[in-house]
């Protein structure tokens, strides 16, 4: 109902009477008044006059009704520990494929290798629950698909030189703008769910806590609509994974990576290696050539360009 009321406000661009809203939407004027009051409480700038209501300007809200085509699968929480925790609970309770958990901020945002992901207001924090019918070994390709689609979208929407750093970071001018984290559960060699969490620095300023990070607002010098970015990303990512042959993901991802053919330090949960990143195989494993000429394969870790 809230989405429908907002749609009418945006269409009319003038004062709309409670009576007109109630007859178009088939609910009582009291019900309209309650919804409008709730929208005002949520931060929407709606004025109420003796003749009706008017939306003064749009806000960058991430409530489910802001995504009308996928409203039933979007869940927004103003503050959570981590969207990964919430998405895990939803997935174990059987939520459907492509359910999206969004948070305004996170108290315990997690990064890879148990790092903290600082998650203040203004950033975009969400986790998508996927239920691909694939064996776990192929699932990493979906993480690479996610970083590929996001890098392409950032280039297209903002004309910025977004590049991917193994495994799934997105950098602009060598500074991190987005990171991804995934959690998987499998049953009898089939993925039961794969949750991919995205942290995108949009209107927040992460540099104080993470000097090597930046945000879209810092790069572009203006506020960016998180809703538009998220909406376009969800459409593009969903369509990509529905249509792509997973064999094509890594070759495409390689066109946007800055990791290959350079010296790197790779940190995993149990060791640190240095070498030249010579390739990424079809499942996303990083192939390193070490100083003694031997080859080391790293499935999961963090990579630092040196
Ligand atoms: C990394 O680069 O280390 C991964 C960062 C992933 C951050 C996102 S924010 C949404 C989701 N919830 C979390 O706690 N982490 C991921």
């Amino acid at each position: 109902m809230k989405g429908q009321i907002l749609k009418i406000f945006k269409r009319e661009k003038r004062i709309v009477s409670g009576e007109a809203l109630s007859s178009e939407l088939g609910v009582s004027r009291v019900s309209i008044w309650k919804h409008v009051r709730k929208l005002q409480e949520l931060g929407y700038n709606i004025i109420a006059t003796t003749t009706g209501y008017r939306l003064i300007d749009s806000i960058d809200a991430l409530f489910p009704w802001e995504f009308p085509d996928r409203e039933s699968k979007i869940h927004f929480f103003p503050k959570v520990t981590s969207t990964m925790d919430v998405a895990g609970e939803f997935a174990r309770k059987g939520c459907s494929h492509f359910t999206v958990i969004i948070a305004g901020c996170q108290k315990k945002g997690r990064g890879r290798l148990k790092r903290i992901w600082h998650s203040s207001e203004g950033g975009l924090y969400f986790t998508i629950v996927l239920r691909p019918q694939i064996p776990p070994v192929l699932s990493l390709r979906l993480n690479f698909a996610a970083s590929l689609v996001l890098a392409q979208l950032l280039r297209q929407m903002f004309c910025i030189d977004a590049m991917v750093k193994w495994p799934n970071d997105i950098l602009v001018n060598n500074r991190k703008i987005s990171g991804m984290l995934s959690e998987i559960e499998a049953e009898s060699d089939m993925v039961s769910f794969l949750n991919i969490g995205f942290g995108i620095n949009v209107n927040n300023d992460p540099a104080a806590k993470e000097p090597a990070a930046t945000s879209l607002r810092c790069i572009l010098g203006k506020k960016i609509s998180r809703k538009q970015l998220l909406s376009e990303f969800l459409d593009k990512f969903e369509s990509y994974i529905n249509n792509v042959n997973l064999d094509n993901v890594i070759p495409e991802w390689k066109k946007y990576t800055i990791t290959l053919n350079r010296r790197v330090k790779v940190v995993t949960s149990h060791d640190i290696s240095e070498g030249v990143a010579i390739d990424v195989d079809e499942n996303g494993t990083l192939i390193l050539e070490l100083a003694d000429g031997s080859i080391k394969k790293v499935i999961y870790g963090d990579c630092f360009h040196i």
Side-chain angles (χ1 to χ4, degrees):
M1 186 54 63
K2 292 180 185 63
Q4 287 170 290
I5 293 173
L6 287 167
K7 199 169 159 193
I8 296 174
F9 286 156
K10 284 175 190 163
R11 183 188 74 206
E12 296 299 327
K13 298 187 184 81
R14 60 179 173 86
I15 289 182
V16 189
S17 70
E19 201 177 332
L21 286 166
S22 112
S23 77
E24 181 166 344
L25 297 174
V27 293
S28 70
R29 283 172 63 176
V30 174
S31 165
I32 295 287
W33 174 76
K34 283 187 181 158
H35 283 296
V36 170
R37 213 175 54 168
K38 185 71 193 166
L39 285 168
Q40 288 170 323
E41 279 168 22
L42 290 171
Y44 288 87
N45 193 358
I46 300 168
I47 50 157
T49 71
T50 47
T51 51
Y53 310 100
R54 180 174 178 177
L55 177 68
I56 301 299
D57 48 28
S58 302
I59 55 168
D60 186 22
L62 300 172
F63 300 112
W65 53 82
E66 295 286 351
F67 306 86
D69 298 338
R70 47 177 88 246
E71 183 170 349
S72 64
K73 288 200 199 176
I74 299 259
H75 302 270
F76 173 80
F77 300 89
K79 191 187 264 188
V80 288
T81 50
S82 158
T83 57
M84 301 307 284
D85 298 341
V86 183
E89 284 166 25
F90 270 68
R92 281 179 206 100
K93 283 185 187 152
C95 74
S96 55
H97 174 68
F98 225 86
T99 293
V100 185
I101 310 296
I102 310 168
C105 62
Q106 304 183 109
K107 287 176 285 180
K108 289 192 177 161
R110 305 202 287 270
R112 283 193 319 274
L113 302 177
K114 301 200 172 122
R115 280 188 320 246
I116 294 172
W117 183 264
H118 298 285
S119 310
S120 57
E121 296 282 348
L124 193 46
Y125 315 108
F126 61 101
T127 299
I128 307 180
V129 179
L130 300 175
R131 297 195 184 276
Q133 303 291 302
I134 53 174
V137 66
L138 295 182
S139 72
L140 275 180
R141 296 186 191 186
L142 291 169
N143 296 300
F144 283 83
S147 53
L148 166 65
V149 171
L150 183 56
Q152 287 175 331
L153 180 64
L154 292 172
R155 288 169 158 263
Q156 179 201 318
M157 282 180 81
F158 307 113
C159 297
I160 53 176
D161 197 17
M163 302 294 288
V164 284
K165 176 165 84 75
W166 186 88
N168 302 122
D169 290 351
I170 296 187
L171 271 57
V172 177
N173 301 332
N174 282 315
R175 296 178 81 183
K176 183 160 166 173
I177 200 156
S178 168
M180 285 169 211
L181 179 68
S182 66
E183 291 173 358
I184 186 170
E185 265 188 32
E187 258 172 46
S188 17
D189 276 350
M190 266 295 162
V191 171
S192 156
F193 66 79
L194 167 67
N195 292 352
I196 308 184
F198 301 77
I200 311 177
N201 297 320
V202 182
N203 297 318
N204 53 321
D205 185 358
K209 289 187 172 137
E210 296 284 348
T214 188
S215 70
L216 285 171
R217 190 176 68 174
C218 294
I219 295 168
L220 301 167
K222 60 176 184 192
K223 269 189 102 173
I224 298 300
S225 164
R226 293 171 308 163
K227 177 197 139 179
Q228 194 194 347
L229 174 58
L230 179 55
S231 175
E232 295 206 19
F233 175 71
L234 295 175
D235 290 350
K236 286 212 156 44
F237 182 47
E238 189 173 34
S239 146
Y240 186 81
I241 60 175
N242 284 343
N243 297 306
V244 75
N245 172 346
L246 283 181
D247 292 345
N248 297 334
V249 172
I250 303 288
E252 190 63 19
W253 178 92
K254 283 185 194 173
K255 294 182 188 164
Y256 295 90
T257 190
I258 45 170
T259 297
L260 291 181
N261 303 317
R262 60 194 295 171
R263 285 193 62 75
V264 294
K265 179 165 89 175
V266 179
V267 180
T268 71
S269 51
H270 52 274
D271 66 7
I272 298 178
S273 325
E274 272 189 35
V276 177
I278 55 170
D279 203 3
V280 171
D281 78 9
E282 71 280 9
N283 290 323
T285 301
L286 181 67
I287 319 278
L288 285 182
E289 187 180 276
L290 305 183
D292 63 3
S294 63
I295 296 296
K296 177 161 181 171
K297 296 185 173 188
V298 188
I299 296 173
Y300 190 74
D302 220 351
C303 170
F304 300 90
H305 294 159
I306 48 180

